Amino acid sequence: MLLENKNAVIYGGGGKVGGAVARAFVREGARIFLAGRTVAQAAAWERQRTGTFAWLHAVFFVDERRGWAAGSKGALISITRIAALQLAKHNVNVNAICPGFIETDMVASIPEEARSKLLKTVPLGRFGQPEEIARAVRYLIE
């Protein structure tokens, strides 16, 4: 098993994407810790002195038309870069995944006319699935 005896802190593990990631990690033997928006439980990696962070950032808000939200997402991407530089000496890899629209409850709540309009902006012609993000995270931690 790829993650046997490894700790995994999953932020937003109660949501569809985080839940898919959590299930994938459990199948690979990881001990998971579901967390909200706190970094306190990330100390598990500090004790191990090895590991991988794969942070999810919504790409939807990373453009100039979204004002303050674009700034906050840009800050998260910068934090990812800084964390990668600082944690490399501990053999910790840090990555960011910036998916487009994923079939979640939030996306499902968008009125159908707006969803159709959004779908036209997606090159694949469909919204992503939480399990696809889970596979991307798994790839990054291999």
Side-chain angles (χ1 to χ4, degrees):
M1 294 181 132
L2 176 69
L3 300 175
E4 194 166 353
N5 297 317
K6 299 288 183 182
N7 295 318
V9 179
I10 301 172
Y11 303 100
K16 288 211 177 190
V17 175
V21 171
R23 288 188 298 278
F25 279 33
V26 167
R27 283 192 299 270
E28 292 293 337
R31 290 182 301 267
I32 65 168
F33 303 91
L34 301 180
R37 299 196 181 269
T38 176
V39 297
Q41 291 180 322
W45 275 286
E46 183 64 22
R47 287 191 301 277
Q48 277 184 211
R49 294 286 191 204
T50 186
T52 301
F53 283 96
W55 293 345
L56 300 173
H57 304 301
V59 74
F60 174 66
F61 288 111
V62 184
D63 71 37
E64 71 282 355
R65 296 172 291 158
R66 304 291 191 271
W68 66 269
S72 68
K73 296 299 180 181
L76 290 172
I77 292 169
S78 292
I79 289 169
T80 302
R81 289 180 183 143
I82 292 165
L85 292 170
Q86 291 182 345
L87 294 173
K89 64 185 173 196
H90 298 296
N91 198 31
V92 174
N93 294 320
V94 180
N95 298 283
I97 298 174
C98 299
F101 291 99
I102 303 298
E103 279 291 349
T104 62
D105 293 339
M106 183 177 74
V107 170
S109 71
I110 298 172
E112 187 56 42
E113 185 177 327
R115 280 175 54 96
S116 295
K117 191 174 181 180
L118 286 173
L119 200 52
K120 291 177 184 175
T121 69
V122 178
L124 285 177
R126 65 175 180 80
F127 296 126
Q129 297 299 311
E131 293 76 16
E132 293 172 314
I133 304 306
R135 285 193 301 270
V137 172
R138 185 187 183 284
Y139 172 79
L140 287 173
I141 59 147
E142 287 181 347

